Amino acid sequence: MILLPYTILPVYHNSKPKKHKTEVVDSSNSDTVVTLFAMAGGKRIETYEDFVKVHGLLLTASGLPRSLHYQLFQKLFSETFDGGVHFGIEPSDDGGRQRRLVLTSDFMAKESHVFLVDHAWTFRLSDAYKQLQEVSGLAERMAALMCVDIDLNSDAEETEEVVDRVSQQNGTKMSVLEAVESEIRSAKGNGDGTVRWLELEDLDIDDDTLSSLNLSSRFPGLLALSLCGNKLENVEIVAREVTKFEHLRALWLNKNPVVKKCDDQLADRVLQGLPRLEIYNSHFTAKFGGWALGFCGGVYEKDNPGSVHESDHQLESVSSLDLLNRCIHNLINKAFSPVEFPSLSYLNLRGNPLEQNSVADLLQVLKEFPCLRSLEVDIPGPLGESAIEILESLPKLSELNGVNASKILETGKHVIDSILQPRLPEWTAEEPLADRIISAMWLYLMTYRLADEEKIDETSVWYVMDELGSALRHSDEPNFRVAPFLFMPEGDLASAVSFTLLWPTQNVKNGDECTHDFLFGIGEDKQRSARLSAWFQTPQNYFIKEYAKHCQKQSKSLISPSVHSSATRSLHHTDGSPLRVYTDLPQVEEFLTRSEFVITSEPKDADIVWTSMQVDEDLKKAAGLTDQQYINQFPFEACLVMKHHLAETVQKAHGSPEWLQPTYNLETHLSQLIGDYYVRKRDGLNNLWILKPWNMARTIDTSVTDNLSAIIRLMETGPKICQKYIEHPALFNRKKFDLRYIVLVRSLNPLEIFLSDVYWVRLANNPYTLEKHSFFEYETHFTVMNYRGKFSHKNTPEFVTEFEQEHQVKWSEINLRVRKMIRSVFEGAAVVHPEMHSPRSRAIYGVDVMLDSSFQPKLLEVTYCPDCTRACKYDIVGEGGVIKGRDFFNDVFGCLFLNETTHVSPL
């Protein structure tokens, strides 16, 4: 065992937590929220009682057993980091691309210790790339911690070149003739002198050398030949020479140029010329039989190659048969039978398509093996999509895919796998350290969220545990648990320091690997199996099938709306008095100046309530509102203004229209998204996605990524949709932009909607690029600059004129497509959710639209009670005259309540 030293290294923090009150949301269980009140100028903690008083809620939320609270208090105050005394960090068995934590103490009892794990890097996501570039030593430490500081391919190639060069200089590399003579001597010493298994690997054999060796004359009884790692290039020569072995059962030509360049052509020639060949380049041929199966069962090897006779009865004792990735298309033949393998108890069929056999036929054949108790197979795969159905068809199985059969039946899991391979980061030798870290960090990150006395922090804090904590790997049956913890030695948040607590949840003995559950508290009801795809290579075929079902369902659920427009009546008091309006929006209060309306400060006295708050039954009761008042919102409008409901509404109404990018609610359709991702990756398509919270504006907690692990891990900061990013948008002066339209809704049944003549463009500040580092640049990929970044307003008519000139297009044609799209959105809502209709509702909605590079509109989102600051602030000077900003709400109220159409047009 190689143990790496565990030392305390510098800690990199983005910023200090806010003062007063904190709310920590543990990423390991997003349902657990802990609120801690710490008054400014708090008393310094000196006793255990003080510690519990200040940290009580945090201690409870962490899940740390009460018996360990005092030990934690002692270690925090003495700053004791004693993990190195009890643990060692060891390279895992994947070439040093991961590490694991092992117990070096003799024994550690359950809940007997608590350890402090430092946070090596703490940051906000938007600052990650910048910090890696600017903070001295950070990138180097993170690269080493995440095992991305090595160049795998180049190192392997350089090592091979050095070995070859040294061997040649020292004369130690065996020549081809020496290898042949060595094989002959070995055969004479071990048997009858007949060579049946010949390995001539990595000997620089080229086409001419192969021809000159005349191997078929020297070894006429050859059964297995390996020429791997040589320099064979010519299909004609290679095929001619190898097909001279009439008894050949196995041929390996892997890692030769001819295989890379002409594999299909060579395979056809070889298989045609060697009718008895059973294994070609590690794959089974269609003629496979007892020899190939015996090879995989450990019977036939170099020291026991078998004979030229069809059967020598050596298969009867085979109890374990590993057929992993043998590219078998048809398993049912004479050789694979309980007659030939009566003792077979373990069978691995993973990685084989078996598409020429039906599920029923395969199950019937497997059922006939009397001793078969353990089976490994892709699920979904050739035996169907359900582990439960496989076990019901093969009742003698005690284990399926490494999991106890009774446990599978108890839990009801249909897709199971106990040997998922870790998802290791990939990079090239030329890729900068920062880029490697950004890709790899999602395998290591944890998160929590802070809050002050007024609100929860809008962006989560992400952190990487130190070398000890980051060596903890996942297990569904872990022996340790971790939880973030905020220690405040001065009794207030200004003194807070974050740690992760680590403690044993099982008895652990020397040499055991220490693990924790990456998804603690998350079960299948929250898509646990799919979420494990962030860290492991989960079965791609399962997710691809789920995606196919999703696509089929959408194509079948099209609704053809037939919603007719009509006119609602205008509102007037019979005595001619103005309509009373209550509003909590300063813009409405300031700019609604028409004589037909008057502002009132009492909601219960108003004819019209125009508010930014959600009007529910509790608010109605508290404010004294009645059903006779008009409200600026429609019932169930969440089907439009919440992003996941908007996508669902559009998909139910229209299937997959061109104007809506593929969109998935990650809380319910993660498997389908993963399937889409895998299909795009397989087909070489762009895989850039944008993640948006269900119900937050101003691009808060919004991310752009092409990393599947990142997509899944970002679910931990709150419910989100994942939408295909518009990677090739229309640009304006090389910058990204979108458009905010204002839709006025008088009625949904009949449908009566209008589009304001006032709309505006929102521009990014930086030139658009798809460079990876740019995904963290807000001012490159996002356009809302009212609240962050540099704001610059562009008059709409000027934008239209310049855009037409830049792209040689007619804006009027684009505008028609936009209008048609917006109409379709509200038609869909009216049909799918008729419960939205209310005769006492009138509202405006913001509809955000982007154009792709073909100038086709794409729906981004619909917002309730949109921010109309620009509409009120800026006059629009166009061909039709001037639209005064101060008249915007006069026109809106005139349309909605007086049936006017000034500066609006019906959709």
Side-chain angles (χ1 to χ4, degrees):
M1 185 192 312
I2 302 173
L3 296 182
L4 305 179
Y6 171 56
T7 56
I8 303 300
L9 296 171
V11 179
Y12 300 95
H13 292 285
N14 178 23
S15 58
K16 291 183 178 180
K18 294 182 179 180
K19 291 186 178 182
H20 306 311
K21 169 186 169 185
T22 183
E23 191 162 13
V24 178
V25 183
D26 183 352
S27 67
S28 64
N29 185 352
S30 56
D31 292 338
T32 303
V33 180
V34 183
T35 305
L36 172 67
F37 292 88
M39 303 305 295
K43 178 184 175 183
R44 176 177 174 79
I45 295 173
E46 296 179 351
T47 66
Y48 174 63
E49 288 70 24
D50 294 338
F51 171 72
V52 172
K53 183 177 180 180
V54 172
H55 299 88
L57 290 175
L58 280 170
L59 287 166
T60 301
S62 72
L64 184 70
R66 186 177 295 274
S67 59
L68 292 175
H69 287 187
Y70 186 72
Q71 185 182 138
L72 173 63
F73 165 71
Q74 291 180 310
K75 289 192 175 183
L76 285 168
F77 270 83
S78 61
E79 297 184 358
T80 301
F81 293 86
D82 56 345
V85 177
H86 300 272
F87 303 100
I89 302 171
E90 173 184 317
S92 60
D93 300 328
D94 50 28
R97 299 180 65 188
Q98 272 193 334
R99 297 191 179 101
R100 63 183 197 144
L101 195 69
V102 295
L103 187 72
T104 54
S105 299
D106 291 337
F107 179 78
M108 188 174 292
K110 173 182 177 180
E111 298 180 357
S112 60
H113 292 70
V114 61
F115 300 96
L116 298 180
V117 178
D118 215 340
H119 294 173
W121 182 26
T122 304
F123 60 95
R124 309 280 178 173
L125 197 55
S126 58
D127 299 322
Y129 198 88
K130 185 177 180 181
Q131 287 189 15
L132 288 169
Q133 290 182 309
E134 296 181 358
V135 178
S136 177
L138 176 60
E140 289 76 11
R141 182 181 179 187
M142 290 300 105
L145 183 150
M146 299 175 188
C147 304
V148 295
D149 56 343
I150 54 176
D151 295 329
L152 297 177
N153 295 331
S154 61
D155 284 355
E157 291 170 2
E158 289 173 7
T159 301
E160 186 174 341
E161 290 175 4
V162 169
V163 169
D164 286 348
R165 188 165 58 249
V166 172
S167 296
Q168 290 168 4
Q169 289 172 353
N170 296 337
T172 59
K173 189 166 184 177
M174 185 180 294
S175 71
V176 179
L177 293 177
E178 288 174 335
V180 171
E181 293 302 323
S182 175
E183 293 287 342
I184 294 174
R185 287 195 301 271
S186 177
K188 288 180 178 179
N190 296 331
D192 59 5
T194 302
V195 176
R196 293 191 175 91
W197 189 299
L198 182 62
E199 295 180 0
L200 301 176
E201 300 177 352
D202 301 312
L203 295 172
D204 295 336
I205 299 173
D206 58 20
D207 301 321
D208 292 337
T209 304
L210 181 63
S211 298
S212 66
L213 286 173
N214 197 18
L215 295 176
S216 60
S217 298
R218 292 186 175 198
F219 311 109
L222 205 62
L223 294 176
L225 172 63
S226 176
L227 293 168
C228 293
N230 287 296
K231 298 181 178 180
L232 302 174
E233 297 187 29
N234 188 286
V235 173
E236 296 295 329
I237 293 175
V238 175
R240 184 189 69 218
E241 293 301 318
V242 300
T243 54
K244 293 177 180 178
F245 298 97
E246 60 178 298
H247 301 296
L248 204 61
R249 299 289 193 275
L251 174 65
W252 293 278
L253 297 171
N254 312 63
K255 298 182 181 179
N256 275 284
V258 67
V259 175
K260 186 175 182 180
K261 296 176 183 178
C262 313
D263 188 28
D264 292 341
Q265 182 183 355
L266 179 61
D268 290 342
R269 294 284 303 276
V270 169
L271 295 177
Q272 186 177 2
L274 294 172
R276 304 176 74 176
L277 194 69
E278 299 185 25
I279 297 177
Y280 175 67
N281 287 353
S282 302
H283 290 165
F284 278 21
T285 71
K287 302 289 183 66
F288 83 88
W291 195 95
L293 293 170
F295 170 76
C296 292
V299 173
Y300 301 129
E301 54 185 347
K302 186 171 184 178
D303 293 336
N304 180 32
S307 68
V308 296
H309 304 294
E310 289 297 326
S311 176
D312 49 16
H313 305 290
Q314 296 189 52
L315 304 180
E316 296 176 356
S317 61
V318 173
S319 60
S320 178
L321 187 57
D322 187 352
L323 302 180
L324 174 68
N325 294 330
R326 292 295 175 179
C327 201
I328 303 172
H329 301 278
N330 180 6
L331 184 64
I332 301 174
N333 68 18
K334 183 179 178 181
F336 183 74
S337 71
V339 174
E340 296 292 331
F341 293 91
S343 304
L344 187 65
S345 63
Y346 167 83
L347 175 64
N348 185 353
L349 293 174
R350 291 177 186 267
N352 294 290
L354 301 177
E355 79 284 1
Q356 296 178 16
N357 304 126
S358 69
V359 173
D361 287 345
L362 284 171
L363 289 171
Q364 182 59 42
V365 169
L366 295 178
K367 193 182 297 184
E368 294 173 358
F369 286 86
C371 299
L372 187 62
R373 297 294 181 268
S374 178
L375 175 67
E376 295 200 35
V377 65
D378 296 327
I379 304 176
L383 295 185
E385 301 184 5
S386 170
I388 295 174
E389 291 179 4
I390 292 172
L391 290 173
E392 290 173 345
S393 300
L394 303 174
K396 293 180 182 179
L397 288 182
S398 58
E399 190 176 76
L400 179 60
N401 287 0
V403 180
N404 186 276
S406 59
K407 183 176 180 180
I408 297 171
L409 295 171
E410 287 172 9
T411 58
K413 288 188 178 181
H414 289 271
V415 179
I416 53 94
D417 204 320
S418 68
I419 56 169
L420 294 176
Q421 295 301 308
R423 184 180 296 280
L424 299 174
E426 299 175 357
W427 66 90
T428 62
E430 298 76 23
E431 195 169 356
L433 278 185
D435 288 358
R436 299 183 192 185
I437 295 164
I438 291 298
S439 296
M441 67 183 186
W442 299 101
L443 305 174
Y444 295 89
L445 290 180
M446 298 182 73
T447 185
Y448 57 82
R449 183 170 291 190
L450 300 171
D452 59 20
E453 291 169 327
E454 299 176 356
K455 62 178 181 178
I456 295 178
D457 203 342
E458 292 175 340
T459 57
S460 296
V461 175
W462 293 89
Y463 65 94
V464 177
M465 290 187 288
D466 65 15
E467 283 72 8
L468 185 146
S470 293
L472 284 161
R473 299 198 297 181
H474 169 79
S475 174
D476 285 338
E477 298 177 351
N479 48 18
F480 280 82
R481 184 174 164 186
V482 299
F485 189 81
L486 210 62
F487 174 50
M488 293 168 284
E490 300 296 333
D492 59 21
L493 212 57
S495 62
V497 182
S498 62
F499 298 98
T500 289
L501 309 182
L502 170 69
W503 69 94
T505 56
Q506 303 291 338
N507 293 335
V508 190
K509 62 181 184 298
N510 179 269
D512 284 352
E513 180 174 359
C514 306
T515 60
H516 78 107
D517 186 350
F518 288 176
L519 293 171
F520 179 79
I522 295 176
E524 287 304 324
D525 58 325
K526 297 180 183 177
Q527 310 176 99
R528 178 183 176 87
S529 293
R531 291 174 75 162
L532 282 173
S533 300
W535 297 277
F536 296 97
Q537 300 285 357
T538 48
Q540 292 192 16
N541 55 349
Y542 167 76
F543 296 108
I544 290 174
K545 286 188 177 182
E546 290 298 302
Y547 168 61
K549 292 178 192 174
H550 175 72
C551 294
Q552 187 176 19
K553 183 178 179 181
Q554 283 196 357
S555 66
K556 290 183 178 180
S557 61
L558 296 178
I559 296 175
S560 299
S562 55
V563 182
H564 302 287
S565 297
S566 181
T568 56
R569 65 182 182 85
S570 60
L571 305 184
H572 294 284
H573 284 304
T574 54
D575 60 1
S577 59
L579 296 168
R580 296 181 298 274
V581 178
Y582 168 79
T583 184
D584 58 3
L585 296 172
Q587 294 166 347
V588 176
E589 189 171 359
E590 179 180 356
F591 294 109
L592 183 60
T593 57
R594 296 183 57 155
S595 60
E596 294 93 338
F597 303 94
V598 63
I599 301 296
T600 178
S601 59
E602 287 294 333
K604 60 183 175 56
D605 296 334
D607 300 299
I608 301 167
V609 176
W610 196 275
T611 176
S612 60
M613 296 186 295
Q614 180 182 355
V615 180
D616 54 20
E617 292 304 317
D618 290 338
L619 181 61
K620 281 185 176 182
K621 185 176 181 180
L625 302 182
T626 70
D627 292 337
Q628 302 307 308
Q629 294 172 295
Y630 285 83
I631 309 292
N632 69 322
Q633 57 193 251
F634 281 82
F636 304 100
E637 64 182 9
C639 74
L640 285 173
V641 300
M642 294 187 73
K643 298 179 186 69
H644 62 307
H645 288 320
L646 172 63
E648 181 182 339
T649 298
V650 171
Q651 289 162 356
K652 283 183 177 180
H654 304 289
S656 302
E658 288 293 321
W659 43 265
L660 180 70
Q661 291 289 91
T663 305
Y664 300 90
N665 178 1
L666 292 181
E667 295 298 304
T668 57
H669 287 75
L670 177 60
S671 292
Q672 292 78 4
L673 174 275
I674 295 173
D676 193 346
Y677 184 96
Y678 282 146
V679 168
R680 290 176 183 276
K681 185 176 181 179
R682 179 195 67 195
D683 296 343
L685 301 176
N686 179 281
N687 235 334
L688 197 57
W689 299 81
I690 183 167
L691 288 93
K692 308 174 184 178
W694 280 358
N695 196 28
M696 295 187 79
R698 310 199 310 270
T699 64
I700 294 169
D701 199 19
T702 300
S703 305
V704 177
T705 183
D706 60 358
N707 187 314
L708 180 60
S709 295
I711 291 172
I712 299 171
R713 297 297 312 281
L714 285 163
M715 294 172 63
E716 296 170 26
T717 63
K720 291 181 178 63
I721 63 165
C722 185
Q723 190 171 67
K724 185 66 189 67
Y725 194 61
I726 305 169
E727 66 270 12
H728 298 298
L731 303 178
F732 179 70
N733 293 331
R734 298 172 50 229
K735 297 176 182 178
K736 187 175 177 181
F737 70 91
D738 64 23
L739 302 153
R740 165 62 64 87
Y741 289 87
I742 301 298
V743 179
L744 298 79
V745 183
R746 282 188 197 162
S747 168
L748 283 167
N749 187 18
L751 186 63
E752 195 173 358
I753 56 177
F754 301 83
L755 192 64
S756 172
D757 294 344
V758 178
Y759 64 96
W760 53 93
V761 61
R762 303 184 297 190
L763 293 163
N765 287 333
N766 298 337
Y768 182 72
T769 176
L770 287 175
E771 292 290 331
K772 272 196 173 185
H773 64 79
S774 73
F775 300 157
F776 294 90
E777 297 172 359
Y778 181 88
E779 296 184 50
T780 298
H781 287 273
F782 300 104
T783 61
V784 181
M785 301 298 163
N786 308 50
Y787 312 97
R788 57 190 289 193
K790 178 184 177 183
F791 173 77
S792 58
H793 176 71
K794 185 74 174 178
N795 186 276
T796 303
E798 291 178 8
F799 163 78
V800 169
T801 300
E802 294 178 25
F803 187 86
E804 288 181 324
Q805 292 173 351
E806 180 180 352
H807 295 286
Q808 295 299 298
V809 294
K810 294 181 179 180
W811 188 261
S812 59
E813 295 177 355
I814 295 173
N815 199 46
L816 283 175
R817 292 194 288 268
V818 172
R819 292 173 62 89
K820 183 179 178 181
M821 180 194 73
I822 293 176
R823 167 81 186 188
S824 296
V825 172
F826 286 87
E827 278 182 340
V831 170
V832 176
H833 293 283
E835 67 273 17
M836 275 188 69
H837 175 66
S838 169
R840 293 286 172 173
S841 296
R842 305 282 192 276
I844 66 172
Y845 297 94
V847 178
D848 295 339
V849 179
M850 186 172 287
L851 303 178
D852 66 17
S853 57
S854 300
F855 312 110
Q856 299 299 316
K858 301 285 187 178
L859 178 66
L860 299 183
E861 63 178 301
V862 177
T863 59
Y864 155 74
C865 198
D867 182 351
C868 294
T869 300
R870 292 202 210 187
C872 298
K873 184 175 181 180
Y874 299 103
D875 297 341
I876 296 179
V877 181
E879 295 178 359
V882 179
I883 302 178
K884 295 289 187 181
R886 65 172 180 264
D887 287 332
F888 175 75
F889 276 108
N890 287 333
D891 295 336
V892 166
F893 274 69
C895 174
L896 293 178
F897 301 104
L898 304 179
N899 283 19
E900 298 176 353
T901 56
T902 304
H903 298 140
V904 302
S905 57
L907 284 173

